[in-house]
Structures are given as structure tokens and as C-alpha cells.
Amino acid sequence: MFSSSLIPLAVLAISISQVNAWTDPFFVIQHGPDIITSRIDPVISPGGISSHVHSIVGSSSFKPTYTYENSISGKCTTANIAIDHSNYWIPQLYRKRDDGQFDLVKMNRANTYYLMRRGSQNEQVYDFPPGFRMVAGNPSRTTYNASNYADKAISYVCLGVNGAPESGEFPKQSCPNDLRAQVFFPNCWDGVNNWLPNSAHVHYPLSQGYNSGGPCPASHPKRILSVFFEFHFTDRFTYKDGARVWATGDDVGYSLHGDFTMGWPKGFLPKIFPYGQTCAVDFSLENCPPLKPLMTTNGSACRPDDGFQIVNEDIGTNNPIAKLPGNNPVWGRSGAKKPDPNYKETASFTTSTISVPAGWTKLGCLAEPKGSRALTGASMTDQTMTPTKCINFCSSKGFSLAGVEWSVECYCANTPSKTTLSAINNNLACNMPCNGLDYSAGYCGGSSLLTVYQKSGYSNSISASKASSSTSSSKAASAASKATSTTNKVTSSSKATSTTSKATSTTRKVTSTTAKLTSTAKTTSTSKAPTSSAKSTLNAKVATSSAKTSSTVASTSTAKLAGHKRRTGH
């Protein structure tokens, strides 16, 4: 049985919508693009293939079976806090075409909130124990009950539409600045179990709202932090009723659900509790002393650990698919849920590796020199680009260096121009999926970033570039190690500089009529992420809190780990 000591707080009591609450910690972790998109769910389907595709953010060590030890051992995280190795996921969104096929709609960013909701100023709050996991929502739900907290905790916001109400199902209009899918988890715990089927070890408050500090039931007496997250999906389409479809087959939106697996260093979160209002910082993590030294700009650069597993099937990354993966015919507006009773699972796991021709070695991520090219010997573009295609092309031209960029581009040379291989830095965001490989199976550079390969026998500063990568890795490891020590003096090589957080993210193909090259979106982000995140959902309209007002994101906006701008030329 897990036990936790009382976390005392002396903070000001104020009234929020007739609910007693205090200015307790409230902070938002931002994430770059998903780490893996696949039919994997270590909570509901541990060790097996999930019933539907998920979009997952968090620790790079995500696997079909969850263990706390595996999560915290990940080499990186999509989060902008270097030690948050939790994983968070929801179903993947698809769009049903007029011809009956489905386009995958890429998630472009996610925000995960941590809020303290207490019923009284002196109520104990408990840390998540290692191994803790929970689910909110139901992938098979077909109705909506406004008096049921479990139903109300699942919602949507249509960004870019003035006055658009929060809803319990897909909005009945297009959302030009993103469809935001929201999940609020229970904050009452039985104090004993890290997991029970149907997430029975956790419970919503008995009254005052699903997102409140209302009384916990006697069966779940211990208060835990409230976890809330929102996943953003590009939704700039002409609205058509029933076109949005979750990977579950649901075209109404009732089946949205979320999973959370604990991946914070043991004992770290309680260090934030005593700061109270000081750490009620919303997105401005640099203003919370325990979090400031752990901020990182590298969340968008995080990629799965070597040898990660995905389900060996076409999920629609690079092309439309005839049916949703798994046994998921469309249901909801389209009729009752009728899975095939004779369905037999034929998909299997595969260890994802990128095939590289013999005699070639991957060096890492290299930034293009400003206004120029690093590899100028030869080039080509291929809408089914893979590292192997690029290497074979460069090799045929007699070059010893090959670099893939922007998912479809290939460049060759024998020596870099206006840069050196010692500038290779694997903390850069070479995270654009290769157009010729299924999502998560491999990456082909980024925005003005090359994934570089070299032919064996050519030194050209290989050792220097490896040293650069090693230095970056060792600095990150140092930061994580110091964060788990008994002192609060944590230093991180990826410390953010004040309030600026730069990242890059991409939006993959979202419409069948757009060419792959022009459907990939480039982001350069320098300002804070939209803070429109479900203020009505959180009921956190506190005059003394730092909760921001709602805002929308135009396609050309800039935001921390967010915002998208079309590539105009290269």
C-alpha cells in the first residue's frame, strides 16, 4: 500500500462559483508532436494490440507494457519539463472522405495540466505513487448525461469561432484554429491501488463539479492532483456532419477518452505543493521555482527510443485507408455500433528500425547554414522518400554524405558547406516522418534540418559529431539526475531562457487533395502557447490566479510548441 505524508499549505481562501477553493498550484506542461501513433495501450491492453489507434505524447520509452521504471528511463520526453516522463494519450482522429476512405488527421500539439483541487485549506493531497495509471472517458459510450460527471469531464472546444460553446460531442462547425479535445481525470483515490479495471481506483467528487474540490466518497478518501489534458487537431475543413471520426469508429464524439501513466520522479510533485499561489503559473513555468530549472525547448525534437515497437499496419499516415485499423466500423450518427463478430486480429508488433545500406552510418541532425545549403553536391525530391532512397541516390553520384530533409528531400556532398559535421546536434528537431515510411517508423530531417548519413571510411569529423551528441545526452541525463536528488538545486543543460520557448512541430497530411509536400506545415515558435485551455471546463476563474483568458491560434501565429505556418519556399 502506498502512503504519503501530509502536504501542508497556507494559502488564501477565496470563492469560485460557490465552491470553496484556494490559490493552489496550477501549471501546464506543453508537448511537441506525438511520440508514437499506433494501436498501443499499456493500460487497457497491456502487452497486446489495442482495439484502436492512439496518439501518444510523453516519454520516449513508451511500450505496449507500462512500468514506472521503463517510463523514467526514456532518453527524452515530448514535454517542456525535462523530467516529466509520464505518457498521455487519446484516440487518433480521422476524417471520413466522400469516397468512404479515411484520412489521418495529425495531432499538432498537446497541453497537460496539473491542478490542486481541495475541499478545504487543510485537506491532505497525495502524490501519484510509482506505477500509478488511470483512464477517463469510455471508448464505447454512445450517450451523454449532463448530470454524470464522467460524461461532462469529456468535452470539446472549437477554436477560431467567436462564441462557440464547449460541447460534449464534436462541434457542429469547422474549427479554423484547431479542434481541441479535452479530458479531465478524477481527483479522488482509494489510496491503495495503482490500477483497477475500469479505473475503479479513482473517482470524481460527489458534488460541486467534476473539476472541483468537492467531497470525495468514503471509498476513495484520498485527494490527488487533478490531471487535465487537451489535444489539438488541425480542423480547417469545410464542415460536413459526420466527417470527423475517432479511431474507435465514433463519428459523434462520445467515445473520446484519455490515459495517463505516472512518469514523474518519485517525490518531485510534492515539492511544488508548498509554493501555493507562487506556482499557480498557468503556462509560465519559469515563474515556479521548482520547475524553472527543468524547462527545456527540446520537446519537439524527442523521438522514440531505439528499437521501439509499433503495430505493423497501415494507419493512414501517407495515404487514405479503406477502413479504420482494428474492428472499428463507423457508428454514432451513422447508426448503432456493430463490430464484426467474426473479426480476428491479424496485425502484429514490429520493432521499428530504419534500414540503412551496408557501409553507411547515421550521424545525426544538422542545421542548414543560414540562407544556404550544407550539402550542395546533388539533390532530388521524392514523394516516397526514405533514408535508403537518398543514400542510394547520393552513392550513385559518388558522394560520401547523404542528408534527408522536410520528409521528401535528399541532398548529397563529400564535405559540408558553411558548416561542419561537428555541428551535428541530436537535440535539434529532425522529427518529420519520412513520406515513404509509416509514421514513427523513421524520420527524414525537419525544417531546414538534415538527418545526415555518411559512407564508411570517410572520417569528416564523425568523432566530433558523436561527441556533440554525447555531450547533449550527458547534459540532459545530468539534469534529470539532479532533479531527483534531495535538494532543490536542479541544473539542466536544456534550461529555458526566461519566458521564451522555441520549438518546431509539423502537421502531416490532413486532406486527400493536397500534395504531400505542401501539406506538411512548418512551425517556428517563439511566444507562449495559447492559454485558452478550457477555462470554463476548469472553473478556475479566480481573480488572484494566473489563469489566462481564451485566445485563438491563426494558421500564421507563433506559440510555444504550437502554431503552424505554411512553408513558402526552400
Side-chain angles (χ1 to χ4, degrees), residues 21 24 53 71 79 134 142 257 358 374 380 396 447 499 511 519 528 534 543:
D24 288 326
V53 178
S71 286
M134 59 180 170
T142 60
H257 58 285
M380 67 123 170
S396 71
S447 174
T499 60
T511 172
S519 67
K528 292 180 182 175

Side-chain angles (χ1 to χ4, degrees), residues 451-515:
T451 302
V452 179
Y453 296 82
Q454 185 174 51
K455 188 174 183 180
S456 301
Y458 292 81
S459 59
N460 285 0
S461 303
I462 291 180
S463 59
S465 54
K466 287 184 177 179
S468 173
S469 175
S470 176
T471 299
S472 299
S473 299
S474 63
K475 286 182 179 179
S478 174
S481 174
K482 291 180 181 179
T484 58
S485 70
T486 57
T487 72
N488 285 325
K489 294 181 180 179
V490 187
T491 59
S492 169
S493 64
S494 55
K495 181 189 285 187
T497 61
S498 179
T499 60
T500 301
S501 178
K502 296 181 180 180
T504 58
S505 63
T506 62
T507 301
R508 296 289 290 148
K509 175 164 67 72
V510 296
T511 172
S512 62
T513 60
T514 304

Side-chain angles (χ1 to χ4, degrees), residues 16 80 184 291 309 419 464 469 494 533:
I16 306 177
N80 67 337
F184 200 104
L291 294 174
Q309 289 185 300
T419 186
S469 175
S494 55
S533 308

Side-chain angles (χ1 to χ4, degrees), residues 19-72:
V19 178
N20 288 329
W22 286 262
T23 50
D24 288 326
F26 161 38
F27 57 92
V28 187
I29 308 296
Q30 296 173 270
H31 298 263
D34 47 0
I35 192 73
I36 291 176
T37 303
S38 189
R39 274 202 294 150
I40 301 176
D41 188 336
V43 175
I44 302 301
S45 306
I49 295 174
S50 173
S51 63
H52 52 271
V53 178
H54 290 102
S55 182
I56 303 129
V57 298
S59 177
S60 59
S61 60
F62 187 79
K63 290 183 178 180
T65 301
Y66 164 70
T67 66
Y68 173 73
E69 293 73 19
N70 175 67
S71 286
I72 61 174

Side-chain angles (χ1 to χ4, degrees), residues 39 51 313 323 325-328 339-347:
R39 274 202 294 150
S51 63
E313 63 184 351
K323 66 183 187 68
N327 188 11
N328 295 296
D340 181 359
N342 298 315
Y343 175 82
K344 294 185 182 299
E345 185 60 72
T346 58

Side-chain angles (χ1 to χ4, degrees), residues 19 22 62 140 142 172 177 202 209 251 318 394 442 455 477 492 503:
V19 178
W22 286 262
F62 187 79
S140 296
T142 60
K172 298 184 184 302
N177 295 335
V202 292
D251 64 4
N318 299 310
C394 293
K455 188 174 183 180
S492 169

Side-chain angles (χ1 to χ4, degrees), residues 49-394:
I49 295 174
S50 173
S51 63
H52 52 271
V53 178
H54 290 102
S55 182
I56 303 129
V57 298
S59 177
S60 59
S61 60
F62 187 79
K63 290 183 178 180
T65 301
Y66 164 70
T67 66
Y68 173 73
E69 293 73 19
N70 175 67
S71 286
I72 61 174
S73 69
K75 68 180 181 182
C76 62
T77 173
T78 62
N80 67 337
I81 292 296
I83 62 169
D84 179 12
H85 282 234
S86 304
N87 282 108
Y88 316 82
W89 63 96
I90 68 170
Q92 173 58 47
L93 184 65
Y94 287 86
R95 185 170 181 82
K96 187 176 180 181
R97 296 155 41 117
D98 290 341
D99 63 5
Q101 297 189 90
F102 300 88
D103 286 323
L104 183 147
V105 181
K106 284 299 299 172
M107 183 276 290
N108 61 60
R109 67 185 184 275
N111 299 315
T112 53
Y113 291 60
Y114 286 84
L115 310 98
M116 191 179 291
R117 292 285 185 258
R118 299 182 300 157
S120 69
Q121 187 174 5
N122 297 317
E123 183 178 14
Q124 300 183 31
V125 178
Y126 294 84
D127 191 11
F128 300 114
F132 184 87
R133 51 213 185 271
M134 59 180 170
V135 176
N138 182 346
S140 296
R141 181 164 65 93
T142 60
T143 60
Y144 179 79
N145 181 351
S147 64
N148 184 334
Y149 285 170
D151 288 3
K152 291 193 71 174
I154 306 300
S155 60
Y156 301 87
V157 170
C158 192
L159 298 180
V161 180
N162 291 334
E166 184 178 294
S167 61
E169 62 182 72
F170 286 135
K172 298 184 184 302
Q173 59 197 30
S174 178
C175 304
N177 295 335
D178 285 352
L179 170 69
R180 194 172 69 205
Q182 308 175 152
V183 179
F184 200 104
F185 287 79
N187 64 5
C188 298
W189 174 44
D190 66 11
V192 177
N193 298 287
N194 288 343
W195 167 253
L196 286 176
N198 300 315
S199 225
H201 61 312
V202 292
H203 204 284
Y204 289 101
L206 293 175
S207 63
Q208 302 177 5
Y210 65 89
N211 53 2
S212 75
C216 287
S219 58
H220 296 75
K222 294 188 175 182
R223 185 78 65 186
I224 53 177
L225 282 173
S226 293
V227 175
F228 165 77
F229 51 70
E230 54 188 27
F231 279 59
H232 289 241
F233 293 88
T234 302
D235 195 59
R236 292 187 289 273
F237 303 104
T238 300
Y239 178 73
K240 182 176 181 181
D241 195 44
R244 300 186 189 99
V245 182
W246 285 122
T248 58
D250 167 26
D251 64 4
V252 174
Y254 292 157
S255 72
L256 172 61
H257 58 285
D259 296 59
F260 163 74
T261 52
M262 157 68 171
W264 289 90
K266 183 178 179 180
F268 175 78
L269 289 173
K271 294 178 182 179
I272 300 176
F273 298 174
Y275 284 85
Q277 184 177 6
T278 301
C279 283
V281 295
D282 203 355
F283 287 87
S284 301
L285 303 183
E286 67 277 0
N287 293 328
C288 177
L291 294 174
K292 179 179 180 180
L294 295 167
M295 291 182 67
T296 174
T297 61
N298 294 326
S300 287
C302 186
R303 295 172 292 279
D305 289 355
D306 294 339
F308 67 95
Q309 289 185 300
I310 57 173
V311 178
N312 188 16
E313 63 184 351
D314 185 0
I315 63 171
T317 302
N318 299 310
N319 49 268
I321 51 178
K323 66 183 187 68
L324 297 171
N327 188 11
N328 295 296
V330 178
W331 53 276
R333 284 182 175 83
S334 304
K337 184 175 183 180
K338 296 180 180 180
D340 181 359
N342 298 315
Y343 175 82
K344 294 185 182 299
E345 185 60 72
T346 58
S348 60
F349 286 115
T350 182
T351 299
S352 182
T353 57
I354 300 176
S355 176
V356 177
W360 286 77
T361 302
K362 179 181 176 181
L363 299 185
C365 192
L366 178 66
E368 295 275 25
K370 187 174 181 179
S372 184
R373 288 273 175 217
L375 306 181
T376 59
S379 65
M380 67 123 170
T381 298
D382 189 322
Q383 293 300 315
T384 58
M385 181 63 69
T386 66
T388 295
K389 281 189 176 182
C390 182
I391 289 170
N392 287 341
F393 170 75
C394 293

